Amino acid sequence: MRLREIGEFGLIGRISSRVADGAGVRIGIGDDAAATEPTPGRWLLVTSDMLLEGIHFDLAFTDPYRLGRKSLAVNLSDVAAMGGEPRHFLLSLAVPTGVTVEFLDRFTEGMLDLAREHGVTLIGGDTCRSSNGLVISVTLHGEQVPELVVRRGGARPGDHVFVTGTVGDSALGLELLRRGERRGWAVDRHLDPTPRVRAGLALAGARLPSAMIDVSDGLAADLGHILDLSGVGARLKLDLLPLSPSFRELAPQMTPNPSLLSLTGGEDYELLFTVPADRSEEVAPLLVETGCAATLIGEITDGRGLAVVGPDGREIPVTCGGYNHFAVA
Amino acid sequence: MRLREIGEFGLIGRISSRVADGAGVRIGIGDDAAATEPTPGRWLLVTSDMLLEGIHFDLAFTDPYRLGRKSLAVNLSDVAAMGGEPRHFLLSLAVPTGVTVEFLDRFTEGMLDLAREHGVTLIGGDTCRSSNGLVISVTLHGEQVPELVVRRGGARPGDHVFVTGTVGDSALGLELLRRGERRGWAVDRHLDPTPRVRAGLALAGARLPSAMIDVSDGLAADLGHILDLSGVGARLKLDLLPLSPSFRELAPQMTPNPSLLSLTGGEDYELLFTVPADRSEEVAPLLVETGCAATLIGEITDGRGLAVVGPDGREIPVTCGGYNHFAVA
């Protein structure tokens, strides 16, 4: 069944019928605006990400279910990086008329399944027609008491640098997809990343991180944001970067420089954070129950810029420059 | 200068350098998420609208300054229709690489000028490249104490139906633009609509409206939403509809049925609301200082559906069906 047969209000009805009541929601889908009741004493955390077909995703690579999950996951990851608790979100969709209702049902199912896993509720958004590919825009609200919110600018010389999970998998997965692969760990990491919401909350709750960001542009670029805003430098040891067994096996077949891929590959959606050295040992036990470990990969220096030290002790030149969305491919 | 020369971070920097500090903003542009401090005792009102080039706007018709204003205005109108006070917003932009920096500067200027007029602050968003036209997604936050929030579902039989300003101008303006006209009242109303924020706040503050919505899909369709959600009907008198002098002059040259255009034409962004009959006389004096009048156009009935009565006393068949974004043109 094609979308034009059910129309805009049919689509909204199909989505809203699957949305359960959520805590704090006073007016949900169906009025001029949604209304929520903020928790007294907490700040509202807000983030928004837009995903375009042909730029951020390729329908030849992903399926609608995982696309729905990822569209919400990238926003959950931003709230996690602030140490926040995600609460409510809005979904705006521009849909080509030829898209099937089944596609949108699966997309919604994926998104709402991930929402349920994190206790967040869809409260509104917008739908319209697109003449040029699917456009997905999600705005997510989270909350946190002011004193636990973690920013990017608080890293201090001597702090230890940690990253959760493993890095480079998503970039490797994308390269594998381009070469025709459709399965496996790295591909899954690219198409269905795991936002580290529980880890972010646990770290913030213990007031451990002096600064935190999620790895979306790539480890080096995102660490660069922390360094710029904190006015500090960092020294990383390349052989400390946490790499998955799949990455160790497959990356050398894909690129002559796998280390560089793990440093610059984007979209891992891991948490990158700094911790005062004297509290560094608290990280591991704190994360045990969150289902993801963190690895110490270097330390903050009082210089400027990022220094990456190779296994031979020599410094490797790395640029901190983030992914430029407007560069011509 | 082309966008690719300044890059994503250059664009973000250019926008954020123009944003002044705003009340309630704790973390603005530049971290993983923005943070605001909700006003105790108030609900958060949230609305999101996405505008696509080729669907919602035509760059042959509009200029970037007015496009920036309208992208925010449509969201301000939604918060106005809840009786809310707009506070903060996020802007997500997908930009074709060929777009000039000057275009984006003017777009930002228009948006931020309207923001200033209403005391709202840009706090975040997203930017990326588009391979198929400009995409604009705005999410706006407003606030209001729970007892003053106005919903769509509260209309009761006997209530009077009002609409602010004049209707049909925007649809007329679009038709004039299509015929090559670039100036005049109706064209301005289409390209730079006035969100009725002050009127919405004044009405809500006096607890006058039993139901309220903004006219985006067309008067008949939007009244239809109030009727559906309130479980009531309505009778409108066609010759009571407020029409501008421009509409009265030009609409008959454009269409054999100008009345139908005023009933079904969308995007006027006026407030359509119902008021208990015994308080109907309070509307006019209340709105004097808001700069827009409201006109009594009919009443709520205990039937179902919308009846429109012509000048001869006979009923005119009108469908309440809203604009179907997925219908094939």
Side-chain angles (χ1 to χ4, degrees):
Chain A
M1 186 162 53
R2 301 279 149 178
L3 186 56
R4 68 174 71 102
E5 294 169 48
I6 64 166
E8 181 180 13
F9 295 104
L11 173 60
I12 296 170
R14 250 178 133 85
I15 295 174
S16 62
S17 69
R18 294 166 177 230
V19 175
D21 289 344
V25 182
R26 297 294 166 256
I27 301 174
I29 297 166
D31 216 304
D32 291 279
T36 59
E37 186 165 349
T39 307
R42 288 177 156 207
W43 282 357
L44 175 73
L45 303 168
V46 205
T47 182
S48 205
D49 273 294
M50 189 145 67
L51 283 78
L52 280 80
E53 184 179 345
I55 304 282
H56 299 90
F57 60 91
D58 185 329
L59 293 179
F61 293 169
T62 189
D63 54 274
Y65 183 85
R66 292 199 281 188
L67 181 61
R69 289 180 67 93
K70 184 168 181 175
S71 303
L72 180 59
V74 299
N75 285 283
L76 288 167
S77 182
D78 279 324
V79 166
M82 305 295 288
E85 181 189 352
R87 298 293 307 278
H88 310 118
F89 69 104
L90 295 96
L91 166 65
S92 291
L93 270 182
V95 189
T97 45
V99 165
T100 65
V101 172
E102 291 71 23
F103 179 99
L104 290 170
D105 281 350
R106 284 291 287 164
F107 173 87
T108 307
E109 198 182 335
M111 180 170 277
L112 294 181
D113 276 356
L114 185 64
R116 208 170 297 115
E117 291 169 26
H118 291 279
V120 304
T121 310
L122 178 63
I123 56 171
D126 191 17
T127 57
C128 61
R129 184 165 57 92
S130 165
S131 46
N132 286 304
L134 188 62
V135 182
I136 305 157
S137 179
V138 172
T139 300
L140 176 68
H141 291 172
E143 287 187 345
Q144 186 52 283
V145 293
E147 55 273 25
L148 297 189
V149 170
V150 186
R151 305 192 53 168
R152 294 178 174 177
R156 295 293 166 258
D159 286 357
H160 287 181
V161 181
F162 287 85
V163 67
T164 59
T166 54
V167 291
D169 297 323
S170 180
L172 173 65
L174 178 59
E175 185 56 32
L176 288 165
L177 282 161
R178 285 181 177 143
R179 297 185 185 199
E181 188 57 59
R182 290 293 176 269
R183 291 162 182 275
W185 166 264
V187 165
D188 286 346
R189 289 267 292 163
H190 181 73
L191 298 180
D192 189 11
T194 303
R196 301 302 190 183
V197 176
R198 277 172 281 267
L201 275 170
L203 290 164
R207 301 198 193 194
L208 266 185
S210 49
M212 188 151 62
I213 192 171
D214 71 326
V215 180
S216 55
D217 293 337
L219 181 63
D222 290 313
L223 182 54
H225 296 312
I226 286 183
L227 303 184
D228 286 348
L229 286 166
S230 303
V232 295
R235 177 181 301 269
L236 297 190
K237 285 195 169 173
L238 197 60
D239 53 7
L240 293 181
L241 292 190
L243 307 177
S244 67
S246 291
F247 187 92
R248 289 182 193 279
E249 180 197 340
L250 297 173
Q253 303 170 26
M254 300 285 141
T255 166
N257 199 339
S259 300
L260 201 66
L261 190 64
S262 63
L263 268 176
T264 60
E267 296 207 82
D268 284 316
Y269 298 106
E270 296 294 348
L271 294 178
L272 177 67
F273 57 98
T274 59
V275 173
D278 61 354
R279 299 193 62 195
S280 194
E281 290 183 358
E282 296 177 43
V283 173
L286 187 74
L287 293 183
V288 165
E289 291 189 3
T290 69
C292 84
T295 304
L296 175 63
I297 59 173
E299 67 173 25
I300 298 296
T301 63
D302 56 9
R304 282 285 173 136
L306 172 62
V308 178
V309 181
D312 58 0
R314 294 219 293 211
E315 216 173 281
I316 298 159
V318 174
T319 170
C320 275
Y323 177 71
N324 182 351
H325 282 287
F326 300 112
V328 180
Chain B
M1 186 163 51
R2 301 280 150 177
L3 186 57
R4 68 175 71 103
E5 294 169 47
I6 63 167
E8 182 181 11
F9 294 104
L11 173 61
I12 295 171
R14 249 178 133 86
I15 295 175
S16 62
S17 69
R18 293 165 177 232
V19 175
D21 288 344
V25 182
R26 296 296 166 254
I27 302 174
I29 296 167
D31 215 304
D32 291 279
T36 60
E37 186 165 350
T39 308
R42 288 177 155 207
W43 282 357
L44 175 72
L45 303 168
V46 205
T47 183
S48 204
D49 272 294
M50 188 146 68
L51 283 78
L52 280 80
E53 184 179 346
I55 303 282
H56 299 89
F57 61 91
D58 186 330
L59 292 179
F61 293 169
T62 189
D63 54 275
Y65 183 83
R66 293 199 281 188
L67 181 61
R69 289 180 67 91
K70 185 168 180 174
S71 303
L72 180 59
V74 300
N75 286 282
L76 288 167
S77 182
D78 279 323
V79 166
M82 304 296 288
E85 180 190 350
R87 298 293 308 277
H88 309 118
F89 70 104
L90 294 96
L91 166 65
S92 291
L93 271 182
V95 190
T97 45
V99 165
T100 65
V101 172
E102 291 72 22
F103 179 99
L104 290 170
D105 281 349
R106 284 291 288 164
F107 173 87
T108 307
E109 198 182 337
M111 181 170 275
L112 294 181
D113 277 356
L114 185 65
R116 207 170 298 113
E117 291 169 26
H118 291 280
V120 303
T121 310
L122 178 63
I123 56 171
D126 191 18
T127 56
C128 60
R129 183 165 57 93
S130 165
S131 45
N132 286 303
L134 188 62
V135 182
I136 305 156
S137 179
V138 172
T139 300
L140 176 68
H141 291 172
E143 286 187 346
Q144 186 51 284
V145 293
E147 55 274 24
L148 298 189
V149 170
V150 186
R151 303 193 52 169
R152 293 177 174 178
R156 295 293 167 258
D159 286 358
H160 286 181
V161 181
F162 288 85
V163 68
T164 59
T166 54
V167 290
D169 297 322
S170 180
L172 174 65
L174 178 58
E175 185 56 32
L176 287 165
L177 282 161
R178 286 181 176 143
R179 297 185 185 200
E181 188 57 58
R182 292 293 176 267
R183 291 162 181 275
W185 165 264
V187 165
D188 287 347
R189 290 268 290 163
H190 181 73
L191 297 180
D192 189 10
T194 303
R196 301 302 189 182
V197 176
R198 277 171 280 268
L201 274 170
L203 290 165
R207 299 199 197 195
L208 266 185
S210 49
M212 188 151 63
I213 193 170
D214 72 325
V215 179
S216 54
D217 294 337
L219 181 62
D222 290 313
L223 183 54
H225 295 312
I226 286 184
L227 303 185
D228 286 348
L229 286 166
S230 303
V232 295
R235 177 181 303 268
L236 297 189
K237 285 195 170 173
L238 197 59
D239 54 7
L240 293 181
L241 291 190
L243 307 177
S244 68
S246 292
F247 187 91
R248 288 183 193 279
E249 180 196 339
L250 297 172
Q253 303 170 25
M254 299 285 141
T255 165
N257 201 338
S259 301
L260 201 65
L261 191 63
S262 63
L263 268 176
T264 60
E267 296 206 81
D268 284 314
Y269 298 105
E270 296 295 348
L271 294 178
L272 176 66
F273 57 98
T274 58
V275 172
D278 61 354
R279 299 193 62 194
S280 194
E281 289 182 0
E282 296 177 45
V283 172
L286 187 74
L287 293 183
V288 165
E289 292 189 3
T290 69
C292 84
T295 305
L296 176 61
I297 58 172
E299 67 173 25
I300 298 297
T301 63
D302 56 9
R304 282 287 173 134
L306 172 62
V308 179
V309 181
D312 58 0
R314 293 217 295 208
E315 214 172 284
I316 297 161
V318 174
T319 171
C320 275
Y323 178 70
N324 182 350
H325 282 288
F326 301 111
V328 180

